[in-house]
């Protein structure tokens, strides 16, 4: 049996709830072999980010080459890319190795406000990487920065999704978690029509790594050959379970429960 393989190009979260740690756990839970290219190391816990240490350009370039020269990932996800130079490097290697199924989680700031992408790099993300994306998955604040529009209601979310597709992302997912309602509505756009993924909001502080986990689940499903809508639908159930079955780890914003979805599938809940 040939196992589906996925690569994440992202930052490290020593606390294990976000970044490459969340991605690998999610890939594993969804039966996908995971690989990593680490862009930066964040020092953090559930109370905040204490430091961010970028990996050298050469260090990232060699990780990409070592991966691309031997492995053939079926899907690739990007998380924290940090700088213009790293985004340009990833775009160059993307073309060189002819990878497919790029999932862009346009990570910009950590929950406490620590910057994970330099301000001037947003434009590079738009011009260099988004045109290669199979799907781009911003939350509302990220979608506002990418599109330059303010997003207040559902039709704004639809317009933001249209703009991401105009930028060259084949599909777009605008996540509704930063809205305030009791229902969270994620807007999915395939270039022609919209689909709405609606879920009840779980009131909990334990949402650290939600965006990473959600986009990692999409990447895993794409690696296995799912359609993009099917991948997003499964990933939405994965993240909902991970938020509902909270682990209660740490004194602040704890991680989501990466075990929850498969435990439910096995009837263990
Ligand atoms: O959730 C965004 C994110 C992504 N990647 C890394 C992070 C965080 C948030 O803290 O630390 C490495």
């Amino acid at each position: 049996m040939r196992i589906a393989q996925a690569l994440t190009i992202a930052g490290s979260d020593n606390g294990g709830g976000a970044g490459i740690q969340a991605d690998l756990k999610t890939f594993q839970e969804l039966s996908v072999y995971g690989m990593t290219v680490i862009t930066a190391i964040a020092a953090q816990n559930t109370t905040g980010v204490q430091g961010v240490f970028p990996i050298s350009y050469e260090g990232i370039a060699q990780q990409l080459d070592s991966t691309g020269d031997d492995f053939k990932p079926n899907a690739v996800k990007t998380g924290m890319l940090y700088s213009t130079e790293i985004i340009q490097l990833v775009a160059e290697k993307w073309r060189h190795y002819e990878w497919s199924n790029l999932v862009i989680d346009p990570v910009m700031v950590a929950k406490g406000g620590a910057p994970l992408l330099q301000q001037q790099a947003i434009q590079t993300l738009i011009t260099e990487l988004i045109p290669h994306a199979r799907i781009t998955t911003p939350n509302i604040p990220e979608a506002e920065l990418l599109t330059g529009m303010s997003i207040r209601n559902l039709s704004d979310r639809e317009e933001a999704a249209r703009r991401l597709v105009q930028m060259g992302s084949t599909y777009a997912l605008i996540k509704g978690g930063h809205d305030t309602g009791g229902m969270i509505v994620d807007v999915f756009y395939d270039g022609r029509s919209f689909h709405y993924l609606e879920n009840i909001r779980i009131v909990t502080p334990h949402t650290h790594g939600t965006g990473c986990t959600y986009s990692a689940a999409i990447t895993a499903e794409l690696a296995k050959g799912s359609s993009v809508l099917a991948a997003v639908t499964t990933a939405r159930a994965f993240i909902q379970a991970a938020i509902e079955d909270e682990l209660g780890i740490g004194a602040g914003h704890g991680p989501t429960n990466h075990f929850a979805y498969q435990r439910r599938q096995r009837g263990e809940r």
Side-chain angles (χ1 to χ4, degrees):
M1 179 189 79
R2 189 175 177 279
I3 192 94
Q5 298 163 38
L7 166 66
T8 170
I9 305 169
S12 166
D13 168 12
N14 59 287
I20 55 158
Q21 287 82 356
D23 295 342
L24 282 181
K25 290 174 189 182
T26 303
F27 293 165
Q28 187 82 9
E29 287 292 316
L30 293 170
S31 303
V32 170
Y33 180 84
M35 294 169 271
T36 61
V37 166
I38 301 181
T39 56
I41 296 180
Q44 64 180 310
N45 53 37
T46 66
T47 69
V49 177
Q50 287 82 43
V52 174
F53 304 88
I55 303 290
S56 70
Y57 184 88
E58 291 70 27
I60 300 169
Q62 284 201 17
Q63 290 180 78
L64 286 163
D65 284 334
S66 296
T67 305
D69 287 342
D70 192 24
F71 303 105
K72 299 266 173 288
N74 305 100
V76 180
K77 126 166 206 186
T78 62
M80 175 182 178
L81 293 176
Y82 198 66
S83 69
T84 295
E85 293 70 32
I86 299 175
I87 294 167
Q88 284 168 340
L89 175 65
V90 170
E92 179 197 318
K93 298 299 180 188
W94 175 267
R95 288 189 295 266
H96 180 76
Y97 291 109
E98 300 180 339
W99 286 330
S100 57
N101 286 324
L102 176 61
V103 177
I104 299 182
D105 180 21
V107 171
M108 294 183 190
V109 285
K111 221 152 239 107
L116 302 176
L117 182 71
Q118 292 170 347
Q119 187 70 30
Q120 68 273 22
I122 294 174
Q123 199 52 40
T124 318
L125 195 63
I126 293 169
T127 55
E128 302 280 321
L129 210 54
I130 287 182
H132 297 301
R134 187 98 198 270
I135 184 165
T136 307
T137 66
N139 59 33
I140 290 172
E142 290 160 354
E144 288 185 327
L145 287 165
L146 288 171
T147 62
M149 60 180 283
S150 77
I151 299 175
R152 299 213 170 77
N153 52 38
L154 205 59
S155 69
D156 292 340
R157 248 173 261 175
E158 293 171 349
E159 175 57 23
R162 270 193 212 98
R163 291 190 190 186
L164 284 174
V165 168
Q166 272 162 15
M167 288 171 194
S169 182
T170 313
Y171 295 78
L173 178 71
I174 315 286
K175 300 171 294 183
H178 285 69
D179 199 1
T180 49
M183 292 300 289
I184 293 179
V185 184
D186 299 341
V187 173
F188 174 85
Y189 183 52
D190 62 12
R192 276 180 305 185
S193 49
F194 293 97
H195 296 263
Y196 306 91
L197 296 98
E198 294 187 42
N199 285 272
I200 292 171
R201 178 184 298 280
I202 310 300
V203 180
T204 169
H206 302 302
T207 55
H208 174 62
T210 306
C212 305
T213 302
Y214 193 173
S215 55
I218 295 172
T219 309
E221 292 302 301
L222 290 179
K224 290 186 284 186
S226 288
S227 73
V228 184
L229 181 57
V232 170
T233 304
T234 300
R236 192 62 185 81
F238 190 98
I239 192 58
Q240 189 73 6
I243 297 170
E244 276 178 14
D245 298 356
E246 66 175 46
L247 295 168
I249 292 174
H253 291 286
T256 69
N257 182 349
H258 297 103
F259 301 108
Y261 177 80
Q262 286 301 354
R263 283 203 174 145
R264 291 181 184 194
Q265 298 286 310
R266 294 192 298 262
E268 288 173 12
R269 184 164 170 259

